[in-house]
Amino acid sequence: MSNQPHGQPVALIENSAGNYKILPSGAAYCSGVIPDPGFEVIRVELQSWLPLERAYAFIETYLKGVGRPVQAFCGIELRVPEPLTFDKWSTFNVPYLE
């Protein structure tokens, strides 16, 4: 476990359906993902990018195709055309957090 600024331990968040634990670092961020024994984190990179509104359906279909639930999804790299204000970033993250 990691420590918060005041020395308090940060609890790992268990995702038993996805078979991993998250070390939290804010509402839409984490400091790391720890796979359960017998599982691993696999990075999948697309040859061409998808618009975000199509990406979530692609991810769900991909995971089902490899026999994993959508809860196994543990991260995504996003590209935005311009820097976002904090408010716009929060709005942008709503679908991801859902």
Side-chain angles (χ1 to χ4, degrees):
M1 281 196 249
S2 180
N3 284 329
Q4 293 181 17
H6 301 303
Q8 306 224 350
V10 176
L12 294 172
I13 298 171
E14 176 117 14
N15 178 351
S16 57
N19 300 107
Y20 62 89
K21 295 172 186 61
I22 300 167
L23 182 58
S25 182
Y29 304 101
C30 73
S31 293
V33 174
I34 303 166
D36 290 346
F39 290 87
E40 62 182 324
V41 175
I42 303 291
R43 184 173 190 263
V44 175
E45 186 173 341
L46 302 179
Q47 290 182 352
S48 55
W49 296 349
L50 292 175
L52 187 59
E53 56 273 3
R54 290 183 29 219
Y56 295 117
F58 173 86
I59 292 165
E60 186 172 0
T61 300
Y62 175 83
L63 288 169
K64 284 181 182 178
V66 297
R68 298 293 292 142
V70 70
Q71 293 88 349
F73 173 55
C74 67
I76 189 170
E77 291 181 23
L78 302 172
R79 304 290 190 269
V80 293
E82 62 189 39
L84 300 175
T85 65
F86 184 75
D87 288 340
K88 286 184 181 179
W89 181 250
S90 295
T91 300
F92 177 79
N93 273 312
V94 167
Y96 178 74
L97 293 171
E98 288 175 353

